[in-house]
Amino acid sequence: MSGPLEVWQKLLPQDGAVPGVQADQQTYIAPLPDGRGVLLPIRPLPGGGALASLILNQASFAVLDAIADALAAQLAPMAPGLVVAVPTLGLPLAEAVARRLGHARMVPLGTSEKFWYDPALSVPLRSVTSPGGGKRLWLDPRMLPLLQGARVVLIDDVISTGSSMQAALALLKAAGCTPCALGAAMLQGAAGAGRLPEIPTCAPLRTPRLTRGAAGWVPEG
């Protein structure tokens, strides 16, 4: 059984452990496009089932770099000119991807209101890991000129229910912007992406929702 500090810390070699639910029933190995793997903890959900979790700001720099390399390579053919980041865990990934795409900066969305912000440039925000609600997602009005006419890619850490991306897309729509692509470190199941508009979506890691089978956790469906 892996200790709590061992998850999302190492890049497992191509000839390492087999991807999927591991024998300890507490961890899941998700493969990167190059065949290397990332060890993730399995988190049971309050309403039943479970998912493989990824907390990017707790990951090692090696894992973050590998994910950013892979995501930047997937997004590069779409020629994005600006990266917009969904907070909070999407921020380090978005910055890393923007650097790899040769950008001088990115546009971070935020969850705290500044006194010069415009309430019209804010939307409610919920996520699978923070279901309580009460937060709002904000766009700094001073960022509006950067969005005008830009080929924007919107990046979050994980797409699970799709609610965070839906909020960010609504906020960008209020700013007159439609992204050319969406990016994430990981897609957790197909349901979240299925709730999003038909915009190209890239993610180096893809994991299924899990359900209890006779021998333990198994992919849902």
Side-chain angles (χ1 to χ4, degrees), residues 15-127:
D15 58 354
V18 176
V21 177
Q22 299 302 291
D24 62 10
Q25 285 291 305
Q26 296 186 34
T27 53
Y28 187 101
I29 291 180
L32 286 162
D34 64 7
R36 293 180 295 173
V38 180
L39 185 68
L40 306 173
I42 293 174
R43 305 291 193 201
L45 295 168
L51 49 76
S53 174
L54 175 64
I55 307 296
L56 271 180
N57 64 359
Q58 295 178 8
S60 70
F61 297 144
V63 167
L64 175 59
D65 285 345
I67 292 172
D69 287 343
L71 182 55
Q74 291 175 343
L75 292 170
M78 302 174 199
L82 182 68
V83 169
V84 176
V86 181
T88 300
L89 297 178
L91 296 174
L93 177 62
E95 178 181 348
V97 169
R99 289 177 182 271
R100 285 159 173 77
L101 293 174
H103 298 178
R105 65 176 302 163
M106 67 172 187
V107 170
L109 304 179
T111 54
S112 61
E113 181 183 5
K114 309 303 180 187
F115 68 83
W116 63 88
Y117 281 12
D118 181 354
L121 292 176
S122 72
V123 294
L125 177 65
R126 293 174 62 111
S127 72

